[in-house]
Amino acid sequence: MKALKTLGLAALAALMAMVFLSAGSAMAEETALCGADEAVCTSPITRVHETSVGKAVLLANPKIECNVLFLGEATVGSPLVVEGNFTYSNCTSGCAVTEEGAPSVIEVLREGHETASVVGEGEIHVNCPGIDCYYNGEGLAGTAKGPLLSTQKNGEVSLQEWEVHKTKGTFCPATGKLDITTTPLSATYISTSVGPHRTALCASDEEECTKPLTHVHETSVGKAILLASPKVECNVLFLGEAHAGSPLVVEGNFTYSSCGSGCTVTEEGGPSVLKVAKEGHETADVFGEGEVHINCIGINCFYNGKELIATAKGPLLSTQANGEVSIQEQTVHKTKGTFCPSTGKLDITTTPLSATYITE
């Protein structure tokens, strides 16, 4: 990231609430704030208005809570840049809080479907009875969710227990914590101002694939972990049909064999549909969801994984000769069954049976 101008600590978190992710990378595509859920935004939002959900907690000792507002201007780009000002009101403990070095400028990087990260640093001035302090936070980062994933109807950002450090002042704690959840005043989706990459799977390393692969045959590297307690591990095979596009769509079926703990595992509701979006050279995001039936001695359970995200690498970047797809510690939830853990973790790495490059 380029160097950021000074950004108030609560300001950083408040601004993050307007940033929500769709498939794609800020380095590969321009980021745009959009008032509608559009793959390519036709009328990007340029004026941004944010408010904290409840109050932001700026310090733990003394505990200072304030309402936070932000008003700024957004510029579509890669990354997206927003410049504006923050105000803090109704602060507790008889305190007044102001940002230093305004206006604030922050850069936003898109990471995945309906999620985004914002990283920066900044300084605030906290003036309370008996203390007059300045605090700086470096490497502050939060998690943003768009309206489709958020518990807030317009989206949300949560920044939890990030440490800030005193830069100067009298009778000031050396460190403090920042907690805040924010939301925009209107539904704010993340979109792009240009179309996404066309994605193709190719048998050779070509910048533009002349003969895309249409059949996909993948096998797990070792065994996939489908459930942690009891630990259920299986060999996995996938056979499907691929259709190049934006994103590429693969439709097929999974089979599970040689499962441990005396278990059998079957796919429910197949065929499975996976979407593959090229992110850069020999890399792609893979999106999907599905349900499996796990039948072991003493348990008979169905688990669903929603909005699962995997990372694909072609042979030029992968540790596997033919390429790989990896999904690590993503949560699955019980939908029905007896004596079943309510959640589990999914770990799996697969590789194609022949070299499969990620191209356009």
Side-chain angles (χ1 to χ4, degrees):
M1 292 178 62
K2 296 185 295 184
L4 299 179
K5 291 183 181 178
T6 302
L7 179 66
L9 298 178
L12 173 66
L15 180 57
M16 287 189 288
M18 70 186 173
V19 185
F20 316 121
L21 215 186
S22 65
S25 165
M27 298 307 293
E29 302 168 347
E30 288 190 340
T31 301
L33 300 177
C34 203
D37 182 17
E38 300 177 342
V40 179
C41 191
T42 55
S43 299
I45 292 172
T46 59
R47 196 164 181 80
V48 178
H49 201 171
E50 296 282 323
T51 183
S52 55
V53 178
K55 291 191 174 187
V57 180
L58 304 179
L59 287 172
N61 184 25
K63 187 176 182 180
I64 303 170
E65 298 178 300
C66 300
N67 296 123
V68 181
L69 288 173
F70 171 81
L71 183 63
E73 299 293 327
T75 304
V76 171
S78 182
L80 178 141
V81 176
V82 182
E83 182 171 345
N85 295 96
F86 293 81
T87 58
Y88 308 87
S89 62
N90 301 319
C91 299
T92 59
S93 303
C95 299
V97 178
T98 55
E99 66 175 342
E100 296 293 302
S104 297
V105 177
I106 191 167
E107 297 178 351
V108 177
L109 293 177
R110 308 182 333 141
E111 290 188 343
H113 174 64
E114 284 284 87
T115 59
S117 64
V118 178
V119 180
E121 64 179 79
E123 189 172 42
I124 54 172
H125 180 198
V126 178
N127 193 336
C128 307
I131 69 170
D132 187 12
C133 308
Y134 293 77
Y135 285 88
N136 179 272
E138 295 184 356
L140 294 172
T143 300
K145 297 180 181 179
L148 301 180
L149 295 183
S150 174
T151 58
Q152 304 294 319
K153 68 176 183 178
N154 294 332
E156 69 178 75
V157 165
S158 180
L159 184 71
Q160 300 297 320
E161 292 194 351
W162 277 95
E163 190 169 90
V164 297
H165 297 269
K166 184 188 80 171
T167 57
K168 59 183 177 180
T170 55
F171 304 107
C172 308
T175 62
K177 298 290 186 180
L178 172 62
D179 287 327
I180 185 171
T181 298
T182 60
T183 187
L185 298 191
S186 60
T188 305
Y189 300 85
I190 279 292
S191 184
T192 62
S193 61
V194 294
H197 286 290
R198 179 180 181 271
T199 304
L201 302 179
C202 202
S204 58
D205 180 20
E206 300 175 349
E207 185 173 346
E208 294 187 9
C209 191
T210 55
K211 294 182 179 180
L213 295 172
T214 57
H215 289 77
V216 177
H217 200 170
E218 298 262 338
T219 183
S220 56
V221 178
K223 290 191 173 186
I225 300 175
L226 304 178
L227 200 61
S229 179
K231 189 173 185 180
V232 180
E233 298 177 300
C234 301
N235 293 325
V236 181
L237 289 172
F238 176 80
L239 182 62
E241 301 286 331
H243 307 278
S246 300
L248 177 143
V249 176
V250 182
E251 184 172 340
N253 295 96
F254 290 89
T255 59
Y256 305 87
S257 63
S258 303
C259 299
S261 303
C263 300
T264 59
V265 178
T266 54
E267 177 185 46
E268 295 291 307
S272 296
V273 177
L274 308 176
K275 295 181 179 180
V276 183
K278 185 177 184 292
E279 290 292 301
H281 176 62
E282 283 281 88
T283 60
D285 283 339
V286 182
F287 303 91
E289 64 179 77
E291 189 171 39
V292 293
H293 178 196
I294 299 177
N295 195 337
C296 307
I297 299 172
I299 70 169
N300 186 16
C301 309
F302 293 78
Y303 285 89
N304 181 273
K306 291 186 177 181
E307 294 152 3
L308 297 174
I309 302 176
T311 300
K313 296 180 181 179
L316 300 180
L317 295 182
S318 174
T319 58
Q320 304 296 317
N322 294 331
E324 67 182 75
V325 177
S326 180
I327 186 168
Q328 300 295 320
E329 291 194 351
Q330 295 210 24
T331 300
V332 295
H333 297 269
K334 184 189 79 171
T335 56
K336 58 183 177 180
T338 55
F339 304 107
C340 309
S342 59
T343 62
K345 296 291 186 182
L346 174 62
D347 283 317
I348 183 173
T349 298
T350 65
T351 187
L353 298 191
S354 60
T356 303
Y357 297 85
I358 300 170
T359 183
E360 297 185 26

